[in-house]
Amino acid sequence: MKINLDRPICFFDLETTGAKVGKDRIVEIAILKVDVDKSESQKVWRINPEMEISFQATNVHGITNEMVKDEPNFKHYAKEIYEFIKGCDLAGFNSIKFDVPILVEELIRAEIEFDFTKNCKIEDIKNKLNEYIDKNFAGNKNYKEIIKSSAFCSENDQLIRENQVLDKNQTIGIIPPIGGG
């Protein structure tokens, strides 16, 4: 990976019961942690949201109510998740408007105090991608097709999707061409 780090970074992706930050819950959280020495560790937690997963959400991520009914709830994993991300910067696709607020809501419900604004830097890869598109494809009506066929993603990946997030590996793939390293 071609990223220069001065502190660890966690690339994360949430799958949720829906798209409403104050209402919906996490059903899966995947985190890839990259340390300053470039070593990587990753964890995935499947979570019982203690509410129904919307049909629309299941169509996006494929996780059904049946698949999570016997899983522990978020509070069960909250301390482990917090310890894994503590001291790290965070990055994700649409993370500022969706993933971070949902994660904060879940941590508050689990009585974990963590102020993301004071404890870490948050990189929203969606913003980086939009800056890159504006700079490099301004005025080109076919920019989505150009991006899909570029080095950002394979033929089968859908990089630009309304109200959906990229998986953590796709997110990492965007950083070197756009932001650094």
Side-chain angles (χ1 to χ4, degrees), residues 93-114:
F93 194 84
N94 200 26
S95 57
I96 291 173
K97 290 185 178 180
F98 188 75
D99 292 68
V100 169
I102 291 241
L103 183 56
V104 167
E105 289 284 333
E106 290 280 20
L107 288 169
I108 289 169
R109 279 192 285 272
E111 301 173 357
I112 302 282
E113 290 185 36
F114 185 68

PDB file of all heavy atoms in Angstrom, residues 93-114:
ATOM      1  N   PHE A  93     -16.105   5.492   2.642  1.00  0.00           N
ATOM      2  CA  PHE A  93     -16.820   6.133   1.546  1.00  0.00           C
ATOM      3  C   PHE A  93     -18.144   6.656   2.086  1.00  0.00           C
ATOM      4  O   PHE A  93     -18.948   5.895   2.609  1.00  0.00           O
ATOM      5  CB  PHE A  93     -17.051   5.134   0.411  1.00  0.00           C
ATOM      6  CG  PHE A  93     -17.476   5.785  -0.870  1.00  0.00           C
ATOM      7  CD1 PHE A  93     -16.530   6.297  -1.737  1.00  0.00           C
ATOM      8  CD2 PHE A  93     -18.813   5.899  -1.199  1.00  0.00           C
ATOM      9  CE1 PHE A  93     -16.916   6.900  -2.926  1.00  0.00           C
ATOM     10  CE2 PHE A  93     -19.209   6.495  -2.377  1.00  0.00           C
ATOM     11  CZ  PHE A  93     -18.252   6.998  -3.246  1.00  0.00           C
ATOM     12  N   ASN A  94     -18.347   7.955   2.003  1.00  0.00           N
ATOM     13  CA  ASN A  94     -19.512   8.646   2.555  1.00  0.00           C
ATOM     14  C   ASN A  94     -19.539   8.543   4.084  1.00  0.00           C
ATOM     15  O   ASN A  94     -20.591   8.563   4.713  1.00  0.00           O
ATOM     16  CB  ASN A  94     -20.816   8.116   1.951  1.00  0.00           C
ATOM     17  CG  ASN A  94     -21.967   9.091   2.101  1.00  0.00           C
ATOM     18  OD1 ASN A  94     -21.779  10.299   2.210  1.00  0.00           O
ATOM     19  ND2 ASN A  94     -23.171   8.565   2.116  1.00  0.00           N
ATOM     20  N   SER A  95     -18.364   8.463   4.670  1.00  0.00           N
ATOM     21  CA  SER A  95     -18.252   8.247   6.111  1.00  0.00           C
ATOM     22  C   SER A  95     -18.708   9.442   6.942  1.00  0.00           C
ATOM     23  O   SER A  95     -19.256   9.252   8.026  1.00  0.00           O
ATOM     24  CB  SER A  95     -16.820   7.861   6.487  1.00  0.00           C
ATOM     25  OG  SER A  95     -15.912   8.850   6.064  1.00  0.00           O
ATOM     26  N   ILE A  96     -18.491  10.653   6.472  1.00  0.00           N
ATOM     27  CA  ILE A  96     -18.856  11.822   7.267  1.00  0.00           C
ATOM     28  C   ILE A  96     -20.372  11.963   7.397  1.00  0.00           C
ATOM     29  O   ILE A  96     -20.887  12.268   8.472  1.00  0.00           O
ATOM     30  CB  ILE A  96     -18.216  13.104   6.686  1.00  0.00           C
ATOM     31  CG1 ILE A  96     -16.703  13.047   6.897  1.00  0.00           C
ATOM     32  CG2 ILE A  96     -18.808  14.358   7.325  1.00  0.00           C
ATOM     33  CD1 ILE A  96     -15.919  14.162   6.239  1.00  0.00           C
ATOM     34  N   LYS A  97     -21.103  11.703   6.335  1.00  0.00           N
ATOM     35  CA  LYS A  97     -22.562  11.867   6.376  1.00  0.00           C
ATOM     36  C   LYS A  97     -23.305  10.623   6.844  1.00  0.00           C
ATOM     37  O   LYS A  97     -24.447  10.717   7.269  1.00  0.00           O
ATOM     38  CB  LYS A  97     -23.088  12.281   5.001  1.00  0.00           C
ATOM     39  CG  LYS A  97     -22.712  13.683   4.619  1.00  0.00           C
ATOM     40  CD  LYS A  97     -23.357  14.076   3.318  1.00  0.00           C
ATOM     41  CE  LYS A  97     -23.012  15.514   2.978  1.00  0.00           C
ATOM     42  NZ  LYS A  97     -23.603  15.936   1.724  1.00  0.00           N
ATOM     43  N   PHE A  98     -22.680   9.456   6.742  1.00  0.00           N
ATOM     44  CA  PHE A  98     -23.426   8.237   7.069  1.00  0.00           C
ATOM     45  C   PHE A  98     -22.722   7.350   8.097  1.00  0.00           C
ATOM     46  O   PHE A  98     -23.210   7.176   9.207  1.00  0.00           O
ATOM     47  CB  PHE A  98     -23.739   7.447   5.797  1.00  0.00           C
ATOM     48  CG  PHE A  98     -24.658   6.290   6.037  1.00  0.00           C
ATOM     49  CD1 PHE A  98     -26.006   6.490   6.260  1.00  0.00           C
ATOM     50  CD2 PHE A  98     -24.167   4.996   6.067  1.00  0.00           C
ATOM     51  CE1 PHE A  98     -26.863   5.421   6.511  1.00  0.00           C
ATOM     52  CE2 PHE A  98     -25.014   3.921   6.318  1.00  0.00           C
ATOM     53  CZ  PHE A  98     -26.365   4.141   6.534  1.00  0.00           C
ATOM     54  N   ASP A  99     -21.580   6.782   7.743  1.00  0.00           N
ATOM     55  CA  ASP A  99     -20.960   5.757   8.589  1.00  0.00           C
ATOM     56  C   ASP A  99     -20.570   6.272   9.972  1.00  0.00           C
ATOM     57  O   ASP A  99     -20.875   5.622  10.979  1.00  0.00           O
ATOM     58  CB  ASP A  99     -19.736   5.152   7.887  1.00  0.00           C
ATOM     59  CG  ASP A  99     -20.124   4.349   6.673  1.00  0.00           C
ATOM     60  OD1 ASP A  99     -20.591   4.929   5.675  1.00  0.00           O
ATOM     61  OD2 ASP A  99     -19.963   3.126   6.705  1.00  0.00           O
ATOM     62  N   VAL A 100     -19.870   7.401  10.037  1.00  0.00           N
ATOM     63  CA  VAL A 100     -19.457   7.918  11.346  1.00  0.00           C
ATOM     64  C   VAL A 100     -20.672   8.267  12.218  1.00  0.00           C
ATOM     65  O   VAL A 100     -20.723   7.856  13.384  1.00  0.00           O
ATOM     66  CB  VAL A 100     -18.469   9.098  11.209  1.00  0.00           C
ATOM     67  CG1 VAL A 100     -18.255   9.791  12.551  1.00  0.00           C
ATOM     68  CG2 VAL A 100     -17.134   8.609  10.645  1.00  0.00           C
ATOM     69  N   PRO A 101     -21.673   8.997  11.696  1.00  0.00           N
ATOM     70  CA  PRO A 101     -22.839   9.274  12.551  1.00  0.00           C
ATOM     71  C   PRO A 101     -23.554   8.021  13.055  1.00  0.00           C
ATOM     72  O   PRO A 101     -23.970   7.972  14.221  1.00  0.00           O
ATOM     73  CB  PRO A 101     -23.753  10.111  11.650  1.00  0.00           C
ATOM     74  CG  PRO A 101     -22.826  10.775  10.689  1.00  0.00           C
ATOM     75  CD  PRO A 101     -21.743   9.761  10.440  1.00  0.00           C
ATOM     76  N   ILE A 102     -23.692   7.017  12.213  1.00  0.00           N
ATOM     77  CA  ILE A 102     -24.340   5.771  12.660  1.00  0.00           C
ATOM     78  C   ILE A 102     -23.488   5.088  13.728  1.00  0.00           C
ATOM     79  O   ILE A 102     -24.003   4.612  14.743  1.00  0.00           O
ATOM     80  CB  ILE A 102     -24.596   4.803  11.473  1.00  0.00           C
ATOM     81  CG1 ILE A 102     -25.653   5.366  10.565  1.00  0.00           C
ATOM     82  CG2 ILE A 102     -24.916   3.396  11.954  1.00  0.00           C
ATOM     83  CD1 ILE A 102     -26.906   4.552  10.384  1.00  0.00           C
ATOM     84  N   LEU A 103     -22.172   5.050  13.506  1.00  0.00           N
ATOM     85  CA  LEU A 103     -21.280   4.442  14.491  1.00  0.00           C
ATOM     86  C   LEU A 103     -21.343   5.201  15.818  1.00  0.00           C
ATOM     87  O   LEU A 103     -21.400   4.589  16.894  1.00  0.00           O
ATOM     88  CB  LEU A 103     -19.847   4.399  13.955  1.00  0.00           C
ATOM     89  CG  LEU A 103     -18.812   3.733  14.847  1.00  0.00           C
ATOM     90  CD1 LEU A 103     -19.196   2.302  15.201  1.00  0.00           C
ATOM     91  CD2 LEU A 103     -17.439   3.783  14.167  1.00  0.00           C
ATOM     92  N   VAL A 104     -21.361   6.525  15.761  1.00  0.00           N
ATOM     93  CA  VAL A 104     -21.474   7.338  16.978  1.00  0.00           C
ATOM     94  C   VAL A 104     -22.780   7.019  17.705  1.00  0.00           C
ATOM     95  O   VAL A 104     -22.789   6.836  18.929  1.00  0.00           O
ATOM     96  CB  VAL A 104     -21.368   8.847  16.654  1.00  0.00           C
ATOM     97  CG1 VAL A 104     -21.803   9.701  17.837  1.00  0.00           C
ATOM     98  CG2 VAL A 104     -19.955   9.199  16.222  1.00  0.00           C
ATOM     99  N   GLU A 105     -23.891   6.955  16.972  1.00  0.00           N
ATOM    100  CA  GLU A 105     -25.188   6.620  17.590  1.00  0.00           C
ATOM    101  C   GLU A 105     -25.124   5.270  18.304  1.00  0.00           C
ATOM    102  O   GLU A 105     -25.619   5.125  19.424  1.00  0.00           O
ATOM    103  CB  GLU A 105     -26.296   6.592  16.532  1.00  0.00           C
ATOM    104  CG  GLU A 105     -26.679   7.943  15.989  1.00  0.00           C
ATOM    105  CD  GLU A 105     -27.535   8.754  16.941  1.00  0.00           C
ATOM    106  OE1 GLU A 105     -28.255   8.171  17.780  1.00  0.00           O
ATOM    107  OE2 GLU A 105     -27.463   9.988  16.852  1.00  0.00           O
ATOM    108  N   GLU A 106     -24.521   4.288  17.643  1.00  0.00           N
ATOM    109  CA  GLU A 106     -24.424   2.956  18.255  1.00  0.00           C
ATOM    110  C   GLU A 106     -23.550   2.991  19.503  1.00  0.00           C
ATOM    111  O   GLU A 106     -23.882   2.368  20.517  1.00  0.00           O
ATOM    112  CB  GLU A 106     -23.861   1.940  17.258  1.00  0.00           C
ATOM    113  CG  GLU A 106     -24.801   1.598  16.120  1.00  0.00           C
ATOM    114  CD  GLU A 106     -25.886   0.588  16.481  1.00  0.00           C
ATOM    115  OE1 GLU A 106     -26.205   0.392  17.669  1.00  0.00           O
ATOM    116  OE2 GLU A 106     -26.435  -0.008  15.543  1.00  0.00           O
ATOM    117  N   LEU A 107     -22.430   3.722  19.454  1.00  0.00           N
ATOM    118  CA  LEU A 107     -21.557   3.809  20.625  1.00  0.00           C
ATOM    119  C   LEU A 107     -22.253   4.517  21.783  1.00  0.00           C
ATOM    120  O   LEU A 107     -22.108   4.118  22.943  1.00  0.00           O
ATOM    121  CB  LEU A 107     -20.250   4.520  20.257  1.00  0.00           C
ATOM    122  CG  LEU A 107     -19.297   3.704  19.374  1.00  0.00           C
ATOM    123  CD1 LEU A 107     -18.171   4.582  18.848  1.00  0.00           C
ATOM    124  CD2 LEU A 107     -18.744   2.498  20.112  1.00  0.00           C
ATOM    125  N   ILE A 108     -23.024   5.551  21.485  1.00  0.00           N
ATOM    126  CA  ILE A 108     -23.774   6.254  22.532  1.00  0.00           C
ATOM    127  C   ILE A 108     -24.781   5.303  23.184  1.00  0.00           C
ATOM    128  O   ILE A 108     -24.877   5.238  24.412  1.00  0.00           O
ATOM    129  CB  ILE A 108     -24.486   7.500  21.961  1.00  0.00           C
ATOM    130  CG1 ILE A 108     -23.451   8.582  21.635  1.00  0.00           C
ATOM    131  CG2 ILE A 108     -25.549   8.021  22.926  1.00  0.00           C
ATOM    132  CD1 ILE A 108     -24.001   9.742  20.816  1.00  0.00           C
ATOM    133  N   ARG A 109     -25.515   4.546  22.356  1.00  0.00           N
ATOM    134  CA  ARG A 109     -26.475   3.582  22.908  1.00  0.00           C
ATOM    135  C   ARG A 109     -25.776   2.535  23.773  1.00  0.00           C
ATOM    136  O   ARG A 109     -26.345   2.019  24.724  1.00  0.00           O
ATOM    137  CB  ARG A 109     -27.248   2.895  21.788  1.00  0.00           C
ATOM    138  CG  ARG A 109     -28.400   3.717  21.243  1.00  0.00           C
ATOM    139  CD  ARG A 109     -29.304   2.898  20.340  1.00  0.00           C
ATOM    140  NE  ARG A 109     -28.738   2.627  19.036  1.00  0.00           N
ATOM    141  CZ  ARG A 109     -28.851   3.426  17.984  1.00  0.00           C
ATOM    142  NH1 ARG A 109     -29.505   4.554  18.068  1.00  0.00           N
ATOM    143  NH2 ARG A 109     -28.308   3.098  16.832  1.00  0.00           N
ATOM    144  N   ALA A 110     -24.525   2.211  23.428  1.00  0.00           N
ATOM    145  CA  ALA A 110     -23.759   1.220  24.183  1.00  0.00           C
ATOM    146  C   ALA A 110     -22.989   1.849  25.344  1.00  0.00           C
ATOM    147  O   ALA A 110     -22.201   1.176  26.005  1.00  0.00           O
ATOM    148  CB  ALA A 110     -22.792   0.497  23.248  1.00  0.00           C
ATOM    149  N   GLU A 111     -23.213   3.145  25.570  1.00  0.00           N
ATOM    150  CA  GLU A 111     -22.594   3.888  26.667  1.00  0.00           C
ATOM    151  C   GLU A 111     -21.078   3.951  26.568  1.00  0.00           C
ATOM    152  O   GLU A 111     -20.350   3.889  27.570  1.00  0.00           O
ATOM    153  CB  GLU A 111     -23.048   3.321  28.015  1.00  0.00           C
ATOM    154  CG  GLU A 111     -24.561   3.384  28.184  1.00  0.00           C
ATOM    155  CD  GLU A 111     -25.066   2.675  29.426  1.00  0.00           C
ATOM    156  OE1 GLU A 111     -24.265   2.069  30.165  1.00  0.00           O
ATOM    157  OE2 GLU A 111     -26.294   2.733  29.652  1.00  0.00           O
ATOM    158  N   ILE A 112     -20.581   4.083  25.346  1.00  0.00           N
ATOM    159  CA  ILE A 112     -19.151   4.290  25.093  1.00  0.00           C
ATOM    160  C   ILE A 112     -18.981   5.746  24.681  1.00  0.00           C
ATOM    161  O   ILE A 112     -19.583   6.193  23.707  1.00  0.00           O
ATOM    162  CB  ILE A 112     -18.630   3.378  23.956  1.00  0.00           C
ATOM    163  CG1 ILE A 112     -18.859   1.906  24.255  1.00  0.00           C
ATOM    164  CG2 ILE A 112     -17.174   3.687  23.626  1.00  0.00           C
ATOM    165  CD1 ILE A 112     -17.899   1.286  25.223  1.00  0.00           C
ATOM    166  N   GLU A 113     -18.150   6.467  25.410  1.00  0.00           N
ATOM    167  CA  GLU A 113     -17.916   7.873  25.085  1.00  0.00           C
ATOM    168  C   GLU A 113     -16.670   7.988  24.211  1.00  0.00           C
ATOM    169  O   GLU A 113     -15.582   7.567  24.609  1.00  0.00           O
ATOM    170  CB  GLU A 113     -17.726   8.699  26.355  1.00  0.00           C
ATOM    171  CG  GLU A 113     -19.002   8.841  27.147  1.00  0.00           C
ATOM    172  CD  GLU A 113     -18.835   9.764  28.328  1.00  0.00           C
ATOM    173  OE1 GLU A 113     -18.092  10.756  28.231  1.00  0.00           O
ATOM    174  OE2 GLU A 113     -19.467   9.474  29.353  1.00  0.00           O
ATOM    175  N   PHE A 114     -16.851   8.541  23.025  1.00  0.00           N
ATOM    176  CA  PHE A 114     -15.733   8.724  22.102  1.00  0.00           C
ATOM    177  C   PHE A 114     -16.064   9.896  21.203  1.00  0.00           C
ATOM    178  O   PHE A 114     -17.045   9.860  20.471  1.00  0.00           O
ATOM    179  CB  PHE A 114     -15.514   7.458  21.267  1.00  0.00           C
ATOM    180  CG  PHE A 114     -14.314   7.528  20.371  1.00  0.00           C
ATOM    181  CD1 PHE A 114     -13.044   7.552  20.903  1.00  0.00           C
ATOM    182  CD2 PHE A 114     -14.461   7.560  18.997  1.00  0.00           C
ATOM    183  CE1 PHE A 114     -11.927   7.607  20.081  1.00  0.00           C
ATOM    184  CE2 PHE A 114     -13.357   7.617  18.160  1.00  0.00           C
ATOM    185  CZ  PHE A 114     -12.084   7.632  18.707  1.00  0.00           C
TER     186      PHE A 114
END
